[in-house]
Amino acid sequence: MKRYSAFSIIKNGLAGHKHWERAWRDPKPKKAYDVIIIGGGGHGLATAYYLAKNHGITNVAVLEKGWLGGGNAGRNTTIVRSNYFREGNTAFYEHSLKLWEGLSQDLNYNVMFSQRGHLNLYFTPAQRDALARRYNTMRLNGIDGDWLTRDQVRKMVPHLNYAEDARYEIMGGYLQKRAGTARHDAVNWGFARAASNLGVDIIQQCEVTDFITKAGRIVGVNTTKGEIRAEKVGMAVAGSTSLLAHKAGLGNLPIESHKLQAFVSEPLKPFLDTVVVYANGHGHFYISQSDKGGMVFGGNIDGYNSYAQKGNLPIYTDVASCAMNIMPALGRIKVLRQWAGIMDMSMDGSPFISKTKIPGLYLNAGWCYGGFKATPGSGWCFAHTIAHDAPHEINKLLTLDRFEAGIHIDESGHGPFPKAH
Amino acid sequence: MLRIDCPVCGIRDHSEFSYGEDASITYPELSNTDRQAWYEAVFLRDNPRGLHLERWHHVQGCRQWLIVARDTLTHDISSVTLAHPKAASQLKAPRKLTKGNAGKASSASKTAMSKNAANGVAS
């Protein structure tokens, strides 16, 4: 692989960009691998990359039924943060954020990670107290978080709705400065290129149709491109996890598939240089501006089980009203595109990076709608779990059987109702 | 918008309803102390891609719980029944949207819309 550099850009630019080599190989599947990863989204590709880089396991295949990043990796609002409260999540997401901080250099691919800050607004004393509790816990865990007064918020983002008669008056906010956004496609392509360079075979248009077991152990998978053998198989197929789990014989999982919409506006001149978020009784809303200028925003999931990658109008209305609530200046902006992805909504709102009851089969799932920020950390931990057949200290609580043990990691405290997380 | 044909109120937007999740689960008897049975009922879901039985509560209508059979991929609703028919039968003369009513309602809202549009142009 030729390294990307400022020099390579100039050189290829002068040559009319005709001589770039392809970013990753397009091999035919071999008969057998050491590890098969099902799912060529961000998490699957990151897992393959860290298996090769951290654990020296390079005889790896990533099987993707469609094309790379065609699922949720390409259907998110690109926010990266680590402002979590519960043990099990705190260390994991902070580890992931630290990986983000060096990711472009590590992958030799500009993932456009921009630490523009993540501002969480509050409107009532109760919300202030709840957020103070969360951010104080973060600080105790060594994660950055700053408390801003209304005036400080106003100085930072002057064009929010500070009107005295605003339906919800902004009281202040909590800021995680190291949080921000990244370019979602670049993350996929960067991991794919780096993994491929280390010897990982990325096989697209290859759907896993069934699992092959011998004496209760996984020994391979059947695919639309034939049988492929491996002693270890990892699943990173958010949205379709239950479908594959049934095929594998894992039975019912603590997961429901729901759809989450996201929206992007027509491009604007620079308007918002941070991520603004709020969740109150009125709604749930997050917004940032992409480097192309589009306002990227979203809210809650649609709220009922669905495998349809298309959104529904009530949430569209909710999100638009949330936008108008804090940023009335957006009122005349046109929405350019809207899309939906299928989320693995888990029973406590937290993910799984876990062994399963079937030896050799590993599960990476249940990301609810927070999977994008977890991409590097998820791959890192999943690779460790697969390589050592045991979880790392960081993901040891993110197990599939935690509900059986009564150890929930319920950030929002909503209980076993996936639509509420 | 999903359109749910409430047996009491007629066809309504799903935004009038609250989603009550998987209706195919049979919860154990309250006297059942088997941990595994409760674990499976409370936490594990079949999560099918296809036909799904689910509860919807008509919160902004008759307040009846409904059992809806819906395809999770196409969103087609194949049946809507009352979860508690006995309770529903106690309701006084349910007001159904008849064709006549529906026509009136929509023509009324059309008039309102055109008035708004006219105001918009004028302002």
Side-chain angles (χ1 to χ4, degrees):
Chain A
M1 177 182 81
K2 286 180 186 142
R3 282 183 67 79
Y4 292 157
S5 63
F7 174 71
S8 74
I9 291 173
I10 294 167
K11 191 179 123 193
N12 281 286
L14 291 173
H17 292 297
K18 285 175 188 161
H19 305 293
W20 290 105
E21 64 177 20
R22 61 176 299 152
W24 57 84
R25 296 173 292 113
D26 186 24
K28 289 211 158 61
K30 290 192 277 187
K31 289 214 159 99
Y33 291 90
D34 292 340
V35 178
I36 289 172
I37 303 295
I38 309 171
H43 290 226
L45 293 167
T47 306
Y49 171 68
Y50 288 113
L51 273 172
K53 185 193 170 217
N54 293 355
H55 306 284
I57 303 172
T58 56
N59 188 21
V60 176
V62 176
L63 309 182
E64 165 56 47
K65 73 173 172 182
W67 63 94
L68 293 194
N72 297 334
R75 293 168 184 268
N76 53 75
T77 47
T78 77
I79 297 168
V80 175
R81 60 186 169 87
S82 68
N83 56 345
Y84 281 78
F85 176 75
R86 296 271 169 207
E87 188 184 354
N89 281 337
T90 45
F92 171 75
Y93 284 105
E94 178 60 12
H95 180 66
S96 192
L97 181 55
K98 283 180 179 154
L99 289 172
W100 277 106
E101 286 174 329
L103 198 59
S104 290
Q105 287 73 22
D106 190 26
L107 298 178
N108 180 233
Y109 201 103
N110 185 6
V111 300
M112 296 165 75
F113 180 48
S114 157
Q115 292 179 294
R116 58 185 65 185
H118 178 273
L119 177 64
N120 208 331
L121 300 173
Y122 59 83
F123 305 85
T124 66
Q127 278 185 312
R128 178 195 60 202
D129 294 352
L131 279 175
R133 182 166 172 249
R134 171 156 35 135
Y135 276 69
N136 283 333
T137 306
M138 283 162 55
R139 291 171 68 107
L140 289 172
N141 283 312
I143 305 166
D144 71 309
D146 290 311
W147 182 22
L148 306 187
T149 62
R150 176 181 161 94
D151 287 344
Q152 285 169 312
V153 171
R154 189 166 198 160
K155 201 172 165 195
M156 189 178 157
V157 193
H159 44 290
L160 296 179
N161 185 4
Y162 299 97
E164 296 291 326
D165 60 349
R167 175 69 184 84
Y168 294 97
E169 199 181 338
I170 295 167
M171 281 183 70
Y174 284 83
L175 177 67
Q176 185 179 24
K177 282 183 186 159
R178 288 163 58 243
T181 59
R183 171 97 173 94
H184 52 74
D185 290 328
V187 177
N188 288 294
W189 300 335
F191 271 120
R193 174 170 171 270
S196 173
N197 183 47
L198 292 174
V200 172
D201 282 0
I202 297 165
I203 299 152
Q204 301 181 65
Q205 307 288 330
C206 179
E207 182 172 1
V208 170
T209 52
D210 213 346
F211 293 81
I212 310 167
T213 52
K214 194 175 169 188
R217 277 195 69 88
I218 284 281
V219 291
V221 293
N222 285 314
T223 75
T224 48
K225 290 192 174 177
E227 180 185 306
I228 307 174
R229 295 262 165 176
E231 295 287 308
K232 291 181 172 184
V233 176
M235 284 168 50
V237 293
S240 302
T241 305
S242 293
L243 305 177
L244 270 184
H246 279 121
K247 285 182 181 170
L250 287 176
N252 291 352
L253 296 183
I255 287 175
E256 284 182 3
S257 294
H258 285 247
K259 64 189 152 81
L260 175 67
Q261 301 189 55
F263 309 85
V264 64
S265 78
E266 59 187 325
L268 311 178
K269 288 186 175 181
F271 177 68
L272 184 65
D273 62 358
T274 186
V275 183
V276 176
V277 180
Y278 75 87
N280 62 12
H282 166 218
H284 180 197
F285 184 66
Y286 35 92
I287 188 164
S288 65
Q289 186 170 24
S290 79
D291 289 355
K292 281 193 286 188
M295 303 305 295
V296 183
F297 54 98
N300 276 327
I301 50 175
D302 275 31
Y304 48 85
N305 290 45
S306 176
Y307 283 88
Q309 287 177 314
K310 57 182 181 186
N312 215 331
L313 279 172
I315 289 291
Y316 209 132
T317 318
D318 280 5
V319 168
S321 75
C322 287
M324 290 305 290
N325 186 25
I326 56 160
M327 229 178 251
L330 290 177
R332 288 173 182 266
I333 303 303
K334 293 186 182 75
V335 172
L336 192 68
R337 289 193 298 128
Q338 160 262 10
W339 62 94
I342 305 307
M343 312 289 121
D344 277 358
M345 297 304 294
S346 70
M347 284 289 169
D348 60 359
S350 294
F352 309 103
I353 304 176
S354 175
K355 294 171 69 171
T356 68
K357 65 181 181 186
I358 299 172
L361 182 64
Y362 304 85
L363 182 73
N364 176 322
W367 291 97
C368 297
Y369 45 106
F372 178 71
K373 71 176 97 67
T375 304
S378 163
W380 196 95
C381 289
F382 199 36
H384 182 102
T385 306
I386 294 171
H388 295 269
D389 192 37
H392 189 271
E393 183 70 18
I394 293 172
N395 67 304
K396 69 175 183 189
L397 291 178
L398 303 176
T399 59
L400 187 57
D401 57 7
R402 64 174 177 264
F403 299 103
E404 219 168 344
I407 308 167
H408 308 181
I409 309 172
D410 192 340
E411 286 281 332
S412 64
H414 277 116
F417 303 101
K419 69 164 187 175
H421 288 291
Chain B
M1 189 74 77
L2 307 179
R3 301 273 282 159
I4 299 174
D5 191 0
C6 173
V8 180
C9 310
I11 293 183
R12 299 298 177 92
D13 289 351
H14 86 265
S15 52
E16 286 188 11
F17 296 78
S18 174
Y19 184 58
E21 312 213 355
D22 196 329
S24 66
I25 303 158
T26 313
Y27 284 89
E29 289 295 318
L30 286 176
S31 56
N32 187 342
T33 55
D34 179 34
R35 197 181 162 94
Q36 185 67 18
W38 280 103
Y39 162 64
E40 286 175 11
V42 174
F43 294 111
L44 300 187
R45 296 291 178 265
D46 183 31
N47 193 25
R49 181 170 68 188
L51 194 66
H52 186 234
L53 270 186
E54 56 202 25
R55 296 187 183 86
W56 288 83
H57 187 202
H58 200 177
V59 176
Q60 292 172 37
C62 57
R63 301 194 64 80
Q64 288 300 301
W65 279 97
L66 309 178
I67 306 288
V68 176
R70 185 178 59 91
D71 189 301
T72 56
L73 186 60
T74 63
H75 292 178
D76 288 339
I77 292 174
S78 47
S79 91
V80 184
T81 55
L82 291 160
H84 309 289
K86 276 187 187 169
S89 68
Q90 301 298 309
L91 291 175
K92 279 186 202 164
R95 274 202 309 148
K96 281 209 174 185
L97 270 186
T98 62
K99 274 186 183 168
N101 283 341
K104 271 180 204 164
S106 73
S107 70
S109 64
K110 268 182 199 163
T111 318
M113 274 167 67
S114 59
K115 267 186 192 168
N116 288 342
N119 289 341
V121 171
S123 63

